[in-house]
């Protein structure tokens, strides 16, 4: 019997490349046979704040359950992302965005990266039936960086600190489109039951429209599943 996160045999899979760095992104539509079942299961979880960066609440998902979502794709991911080995499980969460834009910490107003390793992959499954949000990918204006690895990190950090000193922090709120420090290069719409897979060191951020009102109910709020591989 398949688990709630088993990849659907009817999933529609394609790969895009974005930005001047031509980063690959795998897009999987109709990822689950019964996404509403997963939302109902999520509503039974206890969500809590995990770490200082995500602007909301999370509930951990086990490796045994989470890997059913990507196991059939591992050989393809190994080739698409040029990995030396098939990617392995790092961590997984159900995530619920609950922080109003005016209460974001300064670090949450910038694009971010999940790690400096080129082999780290982020798997994001959209489970918000409202489909009003998505994910944006960005280029740092002064450096032209669209991803940040270990070789780039110190330069990226120094430039960003200098920009903040000269231009100030971004306005309160989610970044959305372009800003004084970054320009958006690509956007994925958060269609219900869509999964996207990209390198975690790509600069990215949740794309949240102006006036969005966070909802702490997993059945009606911005619910995603975030799986990290390496």
């Amino acid at each position: 019997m398949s688990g709630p996160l088993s990849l659907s045999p009817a999933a529609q899979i394609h790969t895009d490349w974005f930005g001047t760095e031509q980063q690959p992104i795998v897009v999987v539509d109709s990822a689950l046979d019964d996404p509403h079942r997963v939302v109902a299961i999520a509503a039974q979880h206890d969500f809590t704040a995990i770490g200082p960066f995500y602007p909301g609440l999370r509930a951990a998902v086990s490796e045994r359950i989470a890997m059913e979502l990507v196991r059939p794709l591992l050989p393809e991911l190994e080739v698409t992302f040029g990995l030396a080995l098939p990617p392995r499980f790092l961590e997984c969460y159900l995530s619920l965005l609950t922080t109003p834009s005016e209460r974001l910490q300064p670090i949450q107003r910038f694009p971010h990266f999940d790690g400096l390793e080129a082999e780290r992959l982020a798997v994001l499954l959209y489970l918000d039936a409202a489909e009003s949000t998505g994910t944006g990918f960005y280029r740092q204006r002064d450096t032209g960086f669209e991803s940040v690895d270990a070789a780039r990190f110190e330069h990226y950090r120094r430039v960003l600190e200098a920009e903040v000193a000269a231009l100030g922090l971004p306005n309160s709120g989610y970044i959305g489109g372009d800003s004084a420090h970054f320009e958006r290069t690509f956007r994925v719409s958060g269609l219900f039951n869509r999964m996207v897979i990209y390198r975690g060191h790509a600069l990215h951020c949740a794309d949240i429209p102006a006036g969005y009102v966070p909802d702490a109910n997993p059945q009606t709020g911005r619910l995603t599943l975030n799986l990290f591989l390496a």
Side-chain angles (χ1 to χ4, degrees):
M1 182 178 178
S2 61
L5 289 178
S6 294
L7 186 70
S8 172
Q12 304 162 29
I13 306 166
H14 71 275
T15 301
D16 287 326
W17 287 263
F18 64 92
T20 57
E21 294 182 7
Q22 284 294 278
Q23 292 273 1
I25 181 167
V26 177
V27 180
V28 183
D29 286 323
S30 302
L32 303 176
D33 275 334
D34 189 357
H36 296 284
R37 178 186 176 198
V38 175
V39 174
I41 292 171
Q44 299 173 16
H45 280 64
D46 292 324
F47 285 75
T48 187
I50 299 177
F53 301 116
Y54 181 72
L57 306 174
R58 285 180 153 168
V61 178
S62 73
E63 177 177 0
R64 179 182 61 83
I65 294 173
M67 289 301 288
E68 291 298 311
L69 185 61
V70 294
R71 186 167 287 112
L73 301 177
L74 295 182
E76 179 179 343
L77 298 180
E78 185 177 355
V79 173
T80 299
F81 292 97
L83 305 176
L85 297 169
R88 297 177 298 173
F89 177 89
L90 285 179
E91 56 185 347
C92 184
Y93 302 99
L94 288 162
S95 303
L96 191 58
L97 188 145
T98 58
T99 304
S101 59
E102 66 273 12
R103 291 178 53 195
L104 291 176
Q105 298 297 316
I107 191 65
Q108 295 169 330
R109 303 179 209 163
F110 291 103
H112 65 276
F113 48 89
D114 302 319
L116 300 175
E117 313 94 329
E119 64 272 17
R120 178 187 286 255
L121 302 182
V123 181
L124 176 60
L125 174 65
Y126 300 101
L127 293 167
D128 177 5
E131 299 185 342
S132 60
T133 70
T135 302
F137 295 84
Y138 292 85
R139 176 186 301 120
Q140 189 182 37
R141 291 185 182 276
D142 279 7
T143 63
F145 292 167
E146 296 172 355
S147 60
V148 181
D149 59 14
R152 289 179 168 184
F153 175 72
E154 283 302 324
H155 185 44
Y156 170 84
R157 181 185 60 79
R158 287 196 300 269
V159 168
L160 186 58
E161 288 178 352
E163 287 179 333
V164 169
L167 302 173
L169 288 168
N171 293 331
S172 177
Y174 294 91
I175 183 172
D178 296 347
S179 72
H181 311 86
F182 295 89
E183 58 182 322
R184 190 169 70 189
T185 62
F186 189 69
R187 181 186 185 275
V188 178
S189 296
L191 299 183
F192 184 67
N193 203 22
R194 166 176 282 177
M195 177 171 69
V196 292
I197 306 170
Y198 51 90
R199 286 195 176 100
H201 72 0
L203 288 164
H204 62 280
C205 191
D207 188 70
I208 310 298
Y212 181 84
V213 178
D215 182 349
N217 183 344
Q219 295 182 300
T220 52
R222 187 186 190 266
L223 178 69
T224 60
L225 183 132
N226 302 75
L227 168 62
F228 300 96
L229 308 171

